[in-house]
Amino acid sequence: MNGIIKKIKSRKAVVSGVALVLFVALIFWTVNSPAVVGAAAGDRELPIYCVQREDKVVALSFDAAWGNEDTQQLIDILARYKINTTFFVVGAWVDKYPDSVKALHDAGNEVMSHSDDHAHFASLSADQIKENINTSNDKIEAVTGVRPTLFRCPYGEYNDTVISTVNGMGMIAIQWDVDSLDWKGLSADEISERVLKNVKSGSIILFHNAAENTPEALPKIIEGLIADGYTIVPVSQILLSGDYTIDNTGRQCALKGSKEQ
C-alpha cells in the first residue's frame, strides 16, 4: 500500500511540474509575442524617423549647435544643385550667428528648432520643455519671420514627456533614419558611402554644419541620390499631410485620406 501511495504522489509531482513549465512557457510566449510587443511599443510617444513614401524622395537635414565655419559653403553647394534642406538650429547659435540664420532662410532653406541651449530634454519637465523651445522659436522667428513647426531633440534624446509636449505645442518632433556620423571626423568618402548605402525612399538624413568633411562629401551624396532617381526636399515636404500613424520603428505611415506633400 505504501508503495502505491508513493507512486501516486510521484506522478502528481511530475504532472504538477509539467503544468508549471507549460504555464511559465505560456506567460513567456504571451509577453514576447509580436502582437503584444507591438502594442507595448505602440504606446510609446515617438518622433518621426522616416516616412512611408511610394515615390523616391529623401530629406537632407543639418543640426547647427556649435561652430559656423562652413555654413555659407553649405548654402552655396545646395544652391549649386538647386535644392533646399532643413537646418535645425539652437537658439544660442542664432544669438551668435544671426546673419547665417538669415542667409539660410533667404536661400530657401528651412530653419527649425533644435532647442535653445542643447539641453538634455529627457531630464526636463513639460513646462521647462515648452519654455526652452518657445525661446528658441522666438529667436528664429525674429530673424527669419517664420516660426518653426519642426523640432529636433538635442543629442537625439527623448521620452514620452518630450514628444507629447512637442506635439501639444502644435510642432512635430523629427529624428532621422540615416546618420552620416560626420561629427566623428569620418572622411568625405566614408560619409558619402555610409549615406548612399543606407538611404531609402522616405529617409531623413542627418548631417551637421561645422563637421570637418561634410562640405566635401555633400556634392557626391547629392549627385549619387539624383543619379539613383531621388528627389531631395526639406523635411516638411517629405512628411505626410492629413491623418497618419507612427509605427514602432518611428516611420510615419499613411492612413486613409493621407497625402504626400
Side-chain angles (χ1 to χ4, degrees), residues 151-171:
F151 174 74
R152 174 165 284 161
C153 300
Y155 309 102
E157 294 178 2
Y158 62 88
N159 56 21
D160 286 355
T161 299
V162 173
I163 304 305
S164 63
T165 301
V166 172
N167 292 342
M169 296 175 69
M171 301 180 71

Side-chain angles (χ1 to χ4, degrees), residues 52-66:
Q52 181 186 51
R53 301 279 305 212
E54 298 301 325
D55 51 350
K56 296 191 74 172
V57 59
V58 297
L60 306 186
S61 66
F62 295 81
D63 288 357
W66 316 119

Side-chain angles (χ1 to χ4, degrees), residues 43-203:
D43 291 337
R44 293 185 61 203
E45 296 279 356
L46 293 175
I48 294 174
Y49 283 73
C50 60
V51 182
Q52 181 186 51
R53 301 279 305 212
E54 298 301 325
D55 51 350
K56 296 191 74 172
V57 59
V58 297
L60 306 186
S61 66
F62 295 81
D63 288 357
W66 316 119
N68 192 37
E69 299 86 342
D70 58 9
T71 304
Q72 188 58 52
Q73 189 178 0
L74 294 174
I75 292 172
D76 293 342
I77 293 170
L78 295 170
R80 187 193 317 159
Y81 292 95
K82 296 181 172 58
I83 64 174
N84 293 120
T85 64
T86 303
F87 283 76
F88 291 92
V89 304
V90 170
W93 194 83
V94 178
D95 293 334
K96 289 182 180 180
Y97 310 111
D99 290 344
S100 291
V101 175
K102 188 174 188 306
L104 286 168
H105 171 74
D106 290 350
N109 298 293
E110 294 181 335
V111 182
M112 298 294 178
S113 176
H114 192 34
S115 82
D116 188 52
D117 54 2
H118 214 267
H120 290 273
F121 266 47
S123 66
L124 302 182
S125 68
D127 287 342
Q128 290 172 323
I129 292 167
K130 288 178 186 177
E131 181 180 3
N132 192 300
I133 296 176
N134 276 325
T135 300
S136 169
N137 288 349
D138 289 344
K139 293 176 180 179
I140 294 169
E141 186 176 17
V143 175
T144 66
V146 179
R147 195 164 188 83
T149 56
L150 306 179
F151 174 74
R152 174 165 284 161
C153 300
Y155 309 102
E157 294 178 2
Y158 62 88
N159 56 21
D160 286 355
T161 299
V162 173
I163 304 305
S164 63
T165 301
V166 172
N167 292 342
M169 296 175 69
M171 301 180 71
I172 300 174
I174 301 296
Q175 203 81 336
W176 59 86
D177 68 319
V178 178
D179 189 346
S180 69
L181 294 181
D182 55 356
W183 59 274
K184 284 191 170 184
L186 300 183
S187 70
D189 286 342
E190 288 172 322
I191 293 170
S192 301
E193 180 182 358
R194 179 177 176 82
V195 170
L196 295 174
K197 178 177 67 175
N198 292 298
V199 73
K200 61 182 181 296
S201 183
S203 282

